[in-house]
Amino acid sequence: MHYPINEIFQTIQGEGYYAGTPSIFIRLQGCPVHCKWCDTKYTWECNNQDQISYEKMIMKKKSNRTWSYMNSKEIILIIKTKKWTAKHVVITGGEPCLYDLLEITKELEKKDYKCQIETSGTELIRCSLNTWITLSPKTNKKALNTSILRSNEIKYPVLKEEDLFYLKSILKKIKNKKNNFIFLQPISQNEEALNICIKTCIIKNWRLSIQIHKYLKIQ
Ligand code: SF4
């Protein structure tokens, strides 16, 4: 299976349950959700004219809409060639679940990597059983029930108080599920959103996710 890869890099996971973990990020191209505040709008369209060689893709200095098809073996070869030391791999986007991720997650696990998928939950999740699913539901396109039930953590973006309504309906669906971590994440470091998240996390005993990579100004 070939995946359209926008970028692949090693950094520190800045969000949610694995915040602070050295991680290899694989960013897939394509997202039909189109959130107004999206910080990776360059991943939305997967146009043929933006296809480049993988040699060019891995040399990118700046994020842009170009992408390259790569299969699991080529992805693992890049990781080994770069001598990256992280053992945690985050498959993100765009919306990575547009693609069948069973093969790539299984191949990475064979090499002792822990896989994490960051998804809006709007597409069917296809991956290994051990893959950690970070569900980040969006009010503009609702998550599938199967995605909600498969999630290991919910990382919920908040801009206004009203955004929390949709989260309540999601939580009803997982009320009998243990070990599902709830994070509130203020959108775009907005101060008012941060205050709403802090207040609500304290009342509800949820966790705060603050995108530490943005404060640290790293990728
Ligand atoms: S789902 Fe994610 S990648 Fe897609 S538009 Fe929303 S924030 Fe951007």
Side-chain angles (χ1 to χ4, degrees):
M1 167 112 196
H2 283 77
Y3 302 98
I5 312 288
N6 177 285
E7 53 187 350
I8 176 166
F9 55 92
Q10 181 174 247
T11 186
I12 297 283
Q13 168 62 289
E15 305 181 359
Y17 185 84
Y18 282 101
T21 305
S23 303
I24 295 159
F25 273 71
I26 301 172
R27 188 181 304 287
L28 301 191
Q29 189 75 13
C31 181
V33 182
H34 293 191
C35 307
K36 270 191 210 149
W37 44 264
C38 177
D39 57 4
T40 55
K41 286 185 174 150
Y42 55 90
T43 64
W44 287 4
E45 309 302 331
C46 194
N47 294 322
N48 286 339
Q49 65 264 30
D50 295 324
Q51 188 177 353
I52 55 174
S53 68
Y54 80 81
E55 290 91 342
K56 274 191 180 165
M57 187 271 295
I58 58 173
M59 297 302 286
K60 266 192 207 183
K61 295 272 184 281
K62 263 172 82 179
S63 297
N64 60 40
R65 53 201 281 173
T66 57
W67 56 274
S68 176
Y69 270 133
M70 291 178 79
N71 63 28
S72 307
K73 284 204 170 109
E74 289 166 335
I75 292 168
I76 290 169
L77 184 66
I78 296 284
I79 294 173
K80 297 288 177 199
T81 309
K82 292 268 189 188
K83 296 189 167 57
W84 286 331
T85 44
K87 295 305 283 180
H88 187 85
V89 175
V90 183
I91 304 174
T92 188
E95 174 42 70
C97 292
L98 284 171
Y99 309 99
D100 185 343
L101 302 171
L102 183 63
E103 183 193 291
I104 178 71
T105 50
K106 282 194 158 182
E107 289 301 317
L108 285 163
E109 283 172 3
K110 276 189 207 162
K111 305 282 180 198
D112 292 330
Y113 291 98
K114 170 73 184 172
C115 295
Q116 175 184 7
I117 293 173
E118 295 182 332
T119 176
S120 63
T122 52
E123 304 288 332
L124 195 64
I125 298 171
R126 295 162 288 175
C127 64
S128 73
L129 282 175
N130 289 327
T131 298
W132 180 273
I133 301 296
T134 301
L135 178 73
S136 186
K138 307 297 188 304
T139 50
N140 45 314
K141 193 165 184 218
K142 302 281 159 43
L144 304 174
N145 283 343
T146 51
S147 305
I148 295 170
L149 292 171
R150 173 63 180 83
S151 65
N152 299 99
E153 66 174 313
I154 293 176
K155 189 183 66 183
Y156 193 81
V158 177
L159 192 57
K160 303 182 289 319
E161 198 97 40
E162 305 88 90
D163 293 336
L164 294 166
F165 289 134
Y166 177 42
L167 177 59
K168 281 185 194 154
S169 73
I170 290 173
L171 293 180
K172 277 188 195 149
K173 293 179 183 165
I174 55 164
K175 66 176 189 294
N176 297 324
K177 199 167 167 257
K178 286 189 179 135
N179 303 330
N180 209 318
F181 299 90
I182 314 298
F183 288 84
L184 295 186
Q185 182 166 291
I187 290 173
S188 309
Q189 294 74 56
N190 178 286
E191 211 179 308
E192 195 187 329
L194 176 63
N195 288 332
I196 294 168
C197 291
I198 291 172
K199 182 185 76 178
T200 312
C201 282
I202 290 173
I203 293 171
K204 297 283 191 184
N205 254 304
W206 294 337
R207 300 183 185 193
L208 182 68
S209 172
I210 55 157
Q211 296 186 296
I212 52 177
H213 57 295
K214 296 206 174 169
Y215 288 96
L216 295 174
K217 296 190 171 52
I218 58 174
Q219 195 172 18

